[in-house]
Amino acid sequence: MSADVLTHNAASWNRQSTSGTSRWCVPVDVQTIEQARAGNWQVILTPNRPVPADWFPDLAGLRVLCLASGGGQQAPVLAAAGARVVSFDLSEEQLAKDMGVAAAVAAATGIPLELSCEQGNMADLSRFADGSFDLIFHPVSNVFAADVLPVWRECHRVLGNGGRLLSGFMNPDFYLFDHDDIETGGPLLVTRHLPYSDLHDLPADRLSARIGRQEALEFSHSLDAQIGGQIAAGFTIAGFYEDCWSDEASPLNRYMPTSMATLAIRG
């Protein structure tokens, strides 16, 4: 992905995070962390459906990379459940939400979370050595990456043998439709070819307006790139599910699952 897109999307997520208008920017509270420490926890890769418990090994001491999942939600919970977590995200404000939860927990309980944060591009994990992690938690976020295949290759490299990659991603068919038009009352009509790119497929005036509003640029990816890409990188797909969103988030929710998730194992 170009540096310009990375810079723009980082600024967009910083704005979302500070505005507090997105559910993905609302951190968990200390009570949620205390429950996780007691063994009562769940996290999501997609909008609503909790990740199956059997997708996780015992988290005690596990080296976990929360990849492009800042916001004070998944990373603190996994750390409270016993993992040693690195949260890696493009947005410093989203990372600040993770660290804010850790600080609040330490102040309230006197017991720190084993959680650190690093800023960077999900497709470039070069600062981490081969086999650095046992599990990667990667919720729906590669929609902001122009090319998803480097993400899967890097995930494979930084996981140890038998390591797990838990990923969420958008249903590719979501991008057949013009959602700006739908949200203003337009009909559900197929108007786009796939894979879709805001950068290349939006008319110039609409792209300029989107950039001016500091909205993150999005890119669709085929199932061949999402699932086939994981397999090509060396993973074995060991679990799969679909999830819906809400009718308020998208009228498409009434007709199809809008996202899906995979469990992949590094051989």
Side-chain angles (χ1 to χ4, degrees), residues 34-238:
E34 288 292 88
Q35 291 174 345
R37 281 177 165 162
N40 180 22
W41 61 275
Q42 60 184 27
V43 286
I44 56 173
L45 287 163
T46 53
N48 294 309
R49 185 172 173 179
V51 179
D54 62 5
W55 281 24
F56 293 96
D58 182 1
L59 288 182
L62 208 71
R63 302 169 300 167
V64 172
L65 176 65
C66 283
L67 182 60
S69 71
Q73 299 176 1
Q74 296 96 8
V77 169
L78 294 173
R84 295 178 287 150
V85 178
V86 175
S87 181
F88 188 81
D89 199 280
L90 191 61
S91 164
E92 60 262 36
E93 292 294 339
Q94 286 290 83
L95 292 172
K97 296 287 178 72
D98 286 335
M99 294 312 297
V101 173
V105 168
T109 68
I111 307 173
L113 296 175
E114 196 159 352
L115 170 63
S116 63
C117 292
E118 299 200 30
Q119 185 182 9
N121 171 13
M122 71 180 84
D124 180 7
L125 305 180
S126 57
R127 71 190 68 183
F128 302 116
D130 296 359
S132 292
F133 299 99
D134 305 302
L135 184 144
I136 295 175
F137 192 86
H138 180 48
V140 174
S141 54
N142 65 39
V143 66
F144 304 110
D147 184 0
V148 73
L149 299 181
V151 178
W152 303 140
R153 290 194 292 265
E154 281 289 84
C155 286
H156 187 271
R157 183 185 64 79
V158 302
L159 279 171
N161 287 336
R164 301 187 179 201
L165 169 62
L166 283 62
S167 305
F169 42 90
M170 294 297 294
N171 185 334
D173 291 347
F174 185 85
Y175 288 95
L176 287 168
F177 304 87
D178 185 331
H179 291 273
D180 290 339
D181 188 44
I182 291 171
E183 289 171 8
T184 57
L188 290 172
L189 294 176
V190 173
T191 59
R192 294 170 171 170
H193 65 83
L194 300 179
Y196 168 79
S197 161
D198 274 343
L199 195 61
H200 298 118
D201 296 325
L202 269 183
D205 59 334
R206 291 180 60 185
L207 176 61
S208 179
R210 178 160 295 180
I211 291 173
R213 294 191 300 267
Q214 287 192 309
E215 295 176 359
L217 299 177
E218 298 186 11
F219 307 86
S220 83
H221 305 290
S222 67
L223 291 179
D224 188 46
Q226 294 283 23
I227 297 176
Q230 293 182 56
I231 295 170
F235 288 102
T236 298
I237 304 299

Side-chain angles (χ1 to χ4, degrees), residues 7-17 213-217:
T7 300
H8 172 80
N9 280 354
S12 175
W13 273 100
N14 285 342
R15 181 184 61 81
Q16 285 193 60
S17 191
R213 294 191 300 267
Q214 287 192 309
E215 295 176 359
L217 299 177

